[in-house]
Amino acid sequence: MDINQYFQSYENYFWEWTTDEDVPDESGYHENNLISIPNIGPIAYRAYVIEVLKMLKVGFPSFGSLLLTLYATQDGYINFNDALAPTKNFYGDGDAVKGIVNITVDFLERVKSLDKVYKKGQNRITLLQTLFGSVYLRLSSGNSELILGRYRKRPHKIGESAVKKYATPNFVYNDLRIFERLNQIFPTTQSIIDALQGKIDDLELEDEIAEDEATVESGGDDFIQELIEEPKTFQVGSLIKRIWSGLKIPMKHLSPGEQPIGGVSDMTNKGELHRMLLSEFANEDEVFMSRIANNEALYIQREIPPEENIFERIILIDTSLKNWGKPKVLSFASTIAIIKHPKAHTECKVFALGKNITPMSLDKVEEVVENLNQVSGLLDVSPALDEFFKKERSEKDLEVFFVTNEENLANPNLQKVIHENRDRLKFIVTTSANGELNFYKHHNGARKHIQKIMLPLQELWANPPKKKATQNNNAQKNGSKTPVPLNYPVLFPTPKSRIATFLYEGEFYILSNKKQLLRTYLSDNYYNKNIYVSSRIHRGSEVLVENISIKPKGQFALAKDKQGSYIICQYQPDKKLLSKLNVITGEYSDLNVTGQNIPLNFNLIYFNRNFYLHEDGFPMIFKINIEGKISIEQVENNEEISRRFIRNTAELARLHNGGENILSNFGIIGINEAQELVVSKLALSRRFDNVYNFNKNLMDLDVIASQNKNKYTFGDGSEIITDTRGMLTFKSSNKHISTFYIPSTQYGYLALATGKDFGGSEYYLPKNTQLKIKEMDEMYTDYMKNFIKHILDYGTKN
């Protein structure tokens, strides 16, 4: 199905393409930017519908069914019978169309009756994903991705689809028959809610703060704990979580369109004068003023597609003498709390203000210790603050914090600099020796106090850590973590959070949010189709490189140089910066391409031993070298590049929804009354024949292992070594039990492997392996069951 066919409009149908001349479209094509129901009102802007389609990774439903479901999730008055009456009357001579329209109305009424919480913001997207993901009457994900790709290149093609054609009754039936299946799957409103409940919780875990620590892929808590355990940073670290509990600084900004203010079809009694209904001006002056005074005048408020504003934070810490001692500890604690907040995903830079402006990094304990010692002999840092704002800064959506002592705000020089730059200085954070933090925000030229946090310093600092004693022979030197290998006999679970995905020389690669380069693959071969779901083609991944020094923004492409090293090319359009990194050797080079006048819609891709900034339809494109220092040159476009780009995009679409919920914060590890392994709050249990996974533990623990960093030791000497990338290593004190490995993921079917044998989900089986395949029940009995039995027989119970 091509782009014209999917977006095609029809005569006497329930929807049509229209144009709102007052609202420009970011694609550059401003015609046909609104979809409406004739004689009733709009459904949504084209830009919002395209964003929704991007989120439907399972494949697109028919366009008509998507629009009707969007209409059903709107606020305000909704009447499906009126909307579908022209369609039913014109095409409904036979029973088929009348029947499918009646079924459609029944189901949409069910969706309409859902509570508003399920139909707002991201939950609305989750609702659509849940409904359309439960049926197979939809386009393939590859075909869907092709339609989106062609739309991005040629949005004006919508103009051809806006010319209405005649539809047959058979088309109407096929367009709406998905609701027949949905009616069977979700016979009641409660059945929809039941399907949504868990998915909405999962979504909030990913986008906000995770309530169950076992499902969070974050190293933030580990870093805070390291600060608390280090005597030199204990005071800073012990304040951070208390600051988190009360911090009200927004961690992301959304455009007004994300707020629940209704759509074009809705009216409101609050608004701006230019949005007032023309009919209101027809009243007599006295009546007109009375209606305004009593909030009876009506306004139109258009719905804008939601958009997250990407911004960069800069935190300036005052290092003058008045901000020394306890105020300085509070300054660093509040700064780290903002940087490492679980909701924070923005880039953040920190500078110390003294005689000079000194950049600081606070990502390691050693760096915090070093920067805590920074102090200037000045009483006033206003010259440094003024110098910071006088520098030309072109960063998009810059958000500046200034952290200082409360007493310093009385300094007239500092007051003058703050007042002159109040439009650029977003927040002021003040500290005091008694543990009081105050947060101020500049808005419309005025400073507003937004919150006060009172920290009980005496209570929080009551139990400082003692100096680290000499470790016994079993502990690691300097208290470091037990080392883990780069890879294991089984594959790692593939993470959901990714910076980019690549297809290079027929192999799939992932640049994860943890800045690892992973290699994964897809498969349709199964060694036991009776056990595992045959529709799953995703596989785990192996780690190629870790700790890659790269910023997670812009566009990326991957290739290999002549020496076989992986090269990542990065293009940041907002900064006009092109860079190239050898992830093996660390060799880096960059190039400012401002003078090249590269159009915004150009894509960074790999093709035939070169990187390209490419867009279909342009006669000239830009070629970037792989070997040596980065350079760029204009070359003639090649149709083969477009064909390869489209094919690669379709192939990469198959990786969507292939990630797992990785357990990275392990907490308590032990054995429960049912003799099951318990990791944090999850028990490893048998679900079906040969199927095991982690589920919520419902029993008390009989045995608890002692923890030393990432190593847990039981009373008999058996050990479990945890790896936050998603792996558990089991070493029994019984030498007859070989070391074995189990991936640490929630919900998904698991595998168990040794250096010779493998059992369980093929998801974790390496592509080229010499492991002997066994049933999972046999592997569990031979290894895990005997591992637990030896602990219970020879260890000590708690």
Side-chain angles (χ1 to χ4, degrees), residues 442-488:
H442 282 131
H443 183 64
N444 293 333
R447 187 190 307 167
K448 178 183 178 182
H449 183 267
I450 55 176
Q451 75 173 125
K452 178 175 75 173
I453 298 177
M454 194 69 195
L455 299 170
L457 301 182
Q458 188 173 358
E459 172 192 335
L460 295 173
W461 294 346
N463 299 303
K466 297 178 181 179
K467 290 186 177 181
K468 297 180 180 179
T470 303
Q471 301 288 337
N472 58 36
N473 293 333
N474 294 326
Q476 299 297 313
K477 293 181 179 180
N478 301 322
S480 60
K481 291 184 177 181
T482 301
V484 294
L486 184 65
N487 288 289
Y488 296 86

Side-chain angles (χ1 to χ4, degrees), residues 453-663:
I453 298 177
M454 194 69 195
L455 299 170
L457 301 182
Q458 188 173 358
E459 172 192 335
L460 295 173
W461 294 346
N463 299 303
K466 297 178 181 179
K467 290 186 177 181
K468 297 180 180 179
T470 303
Q471 301 288 337
N472 58 36
N473 293 333
N474 294 326
Q476 299 297 313
K477 293 181 179 180
N478 301 322
S480 60
K481 291 184 177 181
T482 301
V484 294
L486 184 65
N487 288 289
Y488 296 86
V490 289
L491 296 175
F492 284 104
T494 301
K496 288 184 176 180
S497 302
R498 306 165 185 184
I499 298 173
T501 56
F502 313 103
L503 178 62
Y504 175 74
E505 302 296 342
E507 293 190 306
F508 293 97
Y509 296 85
I510 293 172
L511 182 59
S512 73
N513 273 13
K514 290 186 176 181
K515 298 184 179 179
Q516 303 166 316
L517 182 62
L518 311 175
R519 179 164 54 200
T520 185
Y521 71 101
L522 304 174
S523 173
D524 54 5
N525 297 317
Y526 297 87
Y527 59 85
N528 192 335
K529 294 187 177 180
N530 297 321
I531 298 177
Y532 304 109
V533 183
S534 60
S535 61
R536 288 296 301 271
I537 62 171
H538 298 110
R539 291 294 174 266
S541 55
E542 60 176 315
V543 178
L544 300 176
V545 187
E546 292 192 294
N547 303 318
I548 298 173
S549 179
I550 199 165
K551 291 184 178 180
K553 58 189 299 187
Q555 302 178 27
F556 299 87
L558 178 74
K560 282 185 180 180
D561 63 11
K562 292 179 180 179
Q563 285 72 40
S565 296
Y566 289 101
I567 308 295
I568 292 181
C569 188
Q570 181 180 12
Y571 176 50
Q572 301 178 57
D574 56 335
K575 295 185 177 181
K576 303 297 182 186
L577 185 65
L578 191 65
S579 59
K580 190 159 61 75
L581 173 68
N582 185 319
V583 298
I584 304 298
T585 66
E587 182 182 353
Y588 173 85
S589 61
D590 58 31
L591 182 67
N592 190 304
V593 293
T594 303
Q596 298 287 345
N597 297 319
I598 300 172
L600 290 176
N601 56 344
F602 268 43
N603 297 299
L604 178 63
I605 62 175
Y606 165 81
F607 174 76
N608 196 23
R609 302 298 305 158
N610 285 290
F611 297 115
Y612 290 90
L613 283 168
H614 169 270
E615 176 62 29
D616 189 24
F618 281 74
M620 301 297 291
I621 57 176
F622 298 87
K623 183 171 76 171
I624 303 138
N625 61 310
I626 291 178
E627 308 292 336
K629 189 176 180 180
I630 191 167
S631 63
I632 187 171
E633 62 175 316
Q634 278 196 331
V635 296
E636 291 186 1
N637 205 341
N638 184 341
E639 290 184 2
E640 180 59 28
I641 298 179
S642 296
R643 288 193 289 269
R644 177 72 62 83
F645 176 70
I646 292 173
R647 285 200 301 270
N648 286 1
T649 302
E651 284 293 309
L652 286 172
R654 301 169 70 195
L655 287 182
H656 288 314
N657 298 327
E660 298 292 333
N661 289 323
I662 298 175
L663 308 183

